[in-house]
């Protein structure tokens, strides 16, 4: 397991970019932070903006929770710029492109993990973010996958 700072566990959460996934994952993060854990929520800039207020309230109340945005490669897979959430797609025909883009975030997530302090103890990710299993292996963090039933 990764090293700990002040005996606190560090949970890194990777919500899938859809309201029905993002909001519950942020709630899980806030619950962990309320219980004294260090929490880092990794998402895209647009999605970070959507939950910023909720996370800011937790920070103001003394919780150790961070919101870290990484770029979403929508243009690399042919999606319109700024399509960072399933609810922004023009049609369901772009779902496969969106899932592909979501997993192209691997390199940015790897770079982020190299800078995180303390090192993550546990990764909680949406099951369709496959690259998080590689992160867990490389950084010796346990990983839990969430299988939320809806995508929007």
């Amino acid at each position: 397991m990764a090293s700990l700072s002040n005996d606190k566990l560090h949970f890194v959460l990777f919500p899938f970019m859809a309201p029905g996934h993002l909001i519950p994952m942020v709630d899980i993060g806030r619950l962990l932070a309320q219980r004294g854990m260090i929490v880092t929520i990794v998402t895209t800039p647009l999605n970070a903006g959507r939950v910023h207020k909720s996370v800011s309230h937790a920070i103001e109340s003394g919780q150790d929770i961070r919101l870290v945005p990484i770029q979403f490669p929508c243009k690399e897979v042919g999606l319109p710029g700024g399509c960072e959430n399933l609810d922004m797609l023009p049609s369901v025909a772009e779902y496969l492109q969106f899932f592909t883009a979501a997993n192209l975030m691997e390199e940015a997530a790897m770079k982020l993990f190299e800078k995180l302090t303390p090192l993550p103890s546990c990764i909680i990710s949406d099951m369709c973010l496959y690259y998080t299993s590689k992160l867990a292996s490389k950084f010796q963090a346990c990983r839990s996958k969430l299988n939320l039933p809806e995508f929007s």
Side-chain angles (χ1 to χ4, degrees):
M1 186 189 284
S3 65
L4 305 177
S5 171
N6 299 333
D7 297 326
K8 285 187 175 184
L9 295 175
H10 182 186
F11 287 79
V12 181
L13 284 59
F14 287 88
F16 188 67
M17 291 72 63
H21 295 239
L22 178 65
I23 295 167
M25 188 75 81
V26 169
D27 288 344
I28 290 168
R30 291 179 62 206
L31 288 170
L32 289 167
Q34 284 174 359
R35 285 154 181 77
M37 308 301 159
I38 299 167
V39 176
T40 301
I41 301 170
V42 181
T43 191
T44 69
L46 179 126
N47 288 293
R50 288 183 171 189
V51 297
H52 176 74
K53 189 173 182 179
S54 176
V55 173
S56 291
H57 287 307
I59 293 169
E60 290 167 9
S61 68
Q63 297 171 20
D64 196 350
I65 186 168
R66 311 161 191 168
L67 191 56
V68 180
I70 59 176
Q71 291 303 309
F72 187 72
C74 50
K75 291 180 182 177
E76 289 84 337
V77 297
L79 290 173
C83 269
E84 297 179 22
N85 195 294
L86 274 184
D87 67 1
M88 301 177 77
L89 294 178
S91 73
V92 295
E94 287 87 6
Y95 273 31
L96 182 56
Q97 291 166 276
F98 191 87
F99 281 93
T100 301
N103 281 286
L104 288 176
M105 295 169 63
E106 178 179 350
E107 186 178 334
M110 284 285 183
K111 288 178 183 176
L112 169 67
F113 261 59
E114 292 168 359
K115 298 175 186 175
L116 283 178
T117 56
L119 289 174
S121 313
C122 182
I123 296 169
I124 301 175
S125 69
D126 207 285
M127 66 176 274
C128 55
L129 299 175
Y130 310 117
Y131 66 87
T132 58
S133 64
K134 293 178 191 175
L135 285 171
S137 294
K138 181 175 180 175
F139 292 93
Q140 299 178 349
C142 62
R143 176 176 170 252
S144 177
K145 299 180 293 185
L146 292 183
N147 183 10
L148 297 173
E150 60 184 66
F151 285 108
S152 58

